[in-house]
């Protein structure tokens, strides 16, 4: 009887081992579940559209090794925290939160789900399971300013901004410095709409800037409203986030764009490989994360070649959009020599020379 019981125990152990061996490959083949939280509707252009193109690129590259879940048009704040937590509870092992105002909700939820990986776009706070990513938008903004400098007749350019935070101010100031490198007396007029996505407010701001004498407008907001306003008025525009020629076929001079697909792909692959770490990537031309594209028909080959050379110089470090001297528009010297470092960029709270008006920091 004793030997019979031992045989039964041995047989059960062999069966259990075989089951575990059989389950191993099946478990390894489980796709990585990845969640995305978007601040605006995906639509047909803009910030969220470009983020979603990156998600689709990742799916094409990684195939059935990953599956994604998307929640769009999520307001920053309590709603974001609820959505992020829900994605974690549903088994997403990697979650991309893609707006500045998602930073604190991401950090809070990450503490509750230490085994889930989070990547927050445009923020600066990290945790053992939270990394950040951002694009050096200001690099292509500088080039867009150079483009505007070659195309403005009035010397007045309008800029629709979202919020007076460093990311937006970097773009305004880099654009202004690029513009004035071509036309030293040109000026930039700014209207902040205090929203990332509000087509009505964006349109009103763009029209107001055109009424103030701007013959070119650009924006750091999510919708196509600024480009469409320029199209309606017979003026020019430089799009942001994505190519918006569809919405301004005669208005668009070019588009400042950013590209997330390769980054999303590398991040997901690292999680699959078990090598992911919470890094802080801030990528520009060198990393292929920003571009100036979608040129209008009247942006000739010579000017495009000049801009291409400028892109290469920025990527190599030969040209820095924030090289000294840097002065605020009220005459204060920010930097007398050298170039602004990343700490200085991320603390930016001023307008440079050439921007009209006082910055409201409230």
């Amino acid at each position: 009887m004793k030997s019979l019981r031992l045989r039964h125990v041995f047989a059960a152990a062999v069966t259990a081992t075989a089951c575990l061996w059989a389950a191993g490959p099946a478990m390894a083949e489980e796709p990585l579940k990845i969640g995305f939280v978007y601040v605006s509707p995906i639509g047909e252009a803009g910030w969220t559209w470009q983020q979603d193109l990156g998600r689709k690129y990742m799916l094409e590259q990684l195939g059935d090794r990953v599956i994604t879940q998307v929640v769009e048009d999520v307001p920053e704040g309590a709603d974001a925290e609820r959505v992020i937590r829900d994605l974690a509870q549903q088994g997403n092992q990697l979650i991309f939160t893609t707006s500045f105002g998602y930073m604190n909700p991401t950090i809070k939820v990450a503490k509750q789900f230490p085994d889930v990986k989070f990547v927050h776009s445009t923020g600066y706070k990290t945790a053992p399971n939270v990394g950040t990513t951002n694009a050096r938008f200001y690099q292509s903004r500088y080039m867009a300013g150079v483009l505007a400098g070659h195309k403005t007749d009035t010397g007045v350019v309008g800029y629709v901004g979202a919020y007076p935070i460093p990311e937006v101010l970097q773009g305004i100031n880099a654009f202004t410095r690029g513009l004035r490198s071509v036309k030293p007396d040109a000026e930039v007029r700014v209207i902040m709409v205090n929203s990332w996505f509000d087509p009505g407010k964006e349109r009103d701001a763009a029209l107001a800037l055109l009424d103030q004498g701007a013959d070119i407008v650009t924006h750091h907001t999510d919708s196509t409203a600024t480009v469409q306003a320029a199209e309606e008025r017979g003026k020019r525009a430089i799009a942001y986030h994505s190519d918006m020629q569809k919405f301004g076929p005669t208005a668009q001079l070019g588009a400042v764009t950013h590209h997330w697909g390769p980054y999303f792909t590398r991040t997901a692959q690292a999680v699959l490989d078990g090598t992911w770490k919470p890094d802080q990537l801030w990528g520009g031309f060198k990393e292929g994360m920003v571009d100036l594209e979608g040129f209008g028909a009247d942006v000739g080959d010579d000017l495009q070649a000049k801009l291409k050379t400028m892109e290469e110089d920025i990527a190599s470090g030969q040209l820095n959009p924030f090289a000294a001297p840097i002065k605020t528009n009220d005459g204060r010297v920010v930097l007398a020599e050298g170039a602004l470092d990343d700490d200085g960029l991320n603390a930016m709270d001023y307008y440079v020379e050439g921007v009209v008006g006082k910055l409201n920091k409230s």
Side-chain angles (χ1 to χ4, degrees):
M1 292 295 293
K2 182 176 181 182
S3 62
L4 181 60
R5 284 198 299 270
L6 286 173
R7 284 199 298 272
H8 285 166
V9 171
F10 177 75
V14 170
T15 301
T17 302
C19 289
L20 287 172
W21 179 85
M27 291 174 64
E29 291 172 4
E30 284 290 316
L32 176 70
K33 294 184 68 175
I34 306 174
F36 287 81
V37 187
Y38 295 152
V39 73
S40 57
I42 294 172
E44 299 179 84
W47 168 260
T48 294
W49 166 261
Q50 206 72 6
Q51 292 276 341
D52 205 55
L53 288 181
R55 179 187 68 86
K56 291 175 179 177
Y57 175 94
M58 179 192 69
L59 287 172
E60 290 173 359
Q61 298 300 307
L62 298 180
D64 59 8
R65 287 177 288 171
V66 298
I67 57 174
T68 61
Q69 183 176 358
V70 171
V71 186
E72 61 185 296
D73 202 14
V74 179
E76 297 173 333
D79 283 345
E81 183 180 327
R82 174 184 56 78
V83 169
I84 297 166
R85 182 178 294 107
D86 188 50
L87 286 171
Q89 289 172 336
Q90 291 184 55
N92 288 282
Q93 298 139 291
L94 171 62
I95 299 174
F96 291 98
T97 59
T98 64
S99 187
F100 181 80
Y102 295 161
M103 180 170 61
N104 289 332
T106 299
I107 294 293
K108 185 174 180 179
V109 175
K111 291 179 181 178
Q112 301 164 358
F113 295 88
D115 295 329
V116 178
K117 279 64 174 180
F118 297 83
V119 177
H120 175 240
S121 297
T122 74
Y124 54 87
K125 291 183 180 180
T126 62
N129 59 331
V130 181
T132 64
T133 184
N134 203 354
R136 293 184 183 272
F137 311 117
Y138 66 88
Q139 292 184 347
S140 44
R141 280 294 199 188
Y142 180 87
M143 287 172 48
V146 172
L147 173 59
H150 283 280
K151 291 297 179 180
T152 179
D153 293 321
T154 65
V156 178
V157 179
Y159 204 118
V160 180
Y163 297 98
I165 62 174
E167 174 193 326
V168 178
L169 297 176
Q170 289 162 21
I172 293 169
N173 290 338
F175 181 91
T176 303
R177 287 169 66 84
L179 173 72
R180 286 167 69 91
S181 73
V182 179
K183 282 199 169 179
D185 296 329
E187 63 182 39
V188 174
R189 296 177 178 268
V190 180
I191 296 179
M192 295 286 183
V193 296
N194 295 311
S195 174
W196 294 116
F197 181 81
D198 190 324
K201 285 184 178 180
E202 294 169 52
R203 172 183 166 78
D204 289 346
L207 292 174
L209 291 164
L210 292 168
D211 288 341
Q212 292 176 30
D215 59 350
I216 299 172
V217 287
T218 189
H219 60 109
H220 190 138
T221 49
D222 291 0
S223 87
T224 59
T226 297
V227 174
Q228 288 175 298
E231 182 76 14
E232 292 171 17
R233 286 284 186 90
K235 302 298 183 180
R236 310 308 299 275
I238 296 174
Y240 190 56
H241 295 316
S242 67
D243 189 335
M244 297 181 179
Q245 277 187 324
K246 176 180 178 180
F247 303 92
T250 59
Q252 183 171 294
L253 283 168
V256 172
T257 62
H258 35 264
H259 303 272
W260 305 103
Y263 174 78
F264 289 162
T265 303
R266 290 194 303 271
T267 302
Q269 186 63 61
V271 175
L272 286 166
D273 294 341
T275 60
W276 182 86
K277 293 181 180 179
D279 60 356
Q280 293 182 285
L281 176 66
W282 196 6
F285 282 124
K286 182 179 179 180
E287 294 79 11
M289 292 181 72
V290 298
D291 200 1
L292 181 62
E293 56 184 308
F295 295 110
D298 61 339
V299 180
D301 292 342
D302 288 347
L303 180 52
Q304 289 190 43
K306 176 180 178 178
L307 293 168
K308 183 63 178 177
T309 299
M310 189 172 294
E311 173 188 326
E312 293 168 354
D313 289 344
I314 292 174
S316 70
Q318 185 174 339
L319 173 62
N320 190 315
F322 287 108
I326 300 174
K327 289 184 180 180
T328 65
N329 66 350
D330 58 6
R332 177 170 63 88
V333 176
V334 175
L335 193 69
E337 57 183 21
L340 210 58
D341 61 15
D342 286 355
D343 288 341
L345 289 169
N346 287 320
M348 192 170 284
D349 62 352
Y350 52 84
Y351 286 143
V352 297
E353 286 181 306
V355 182
V356 175
K358 186 176 180 181
L359 180 61
N360 183 358
K361 302 177 186 178
S362 62

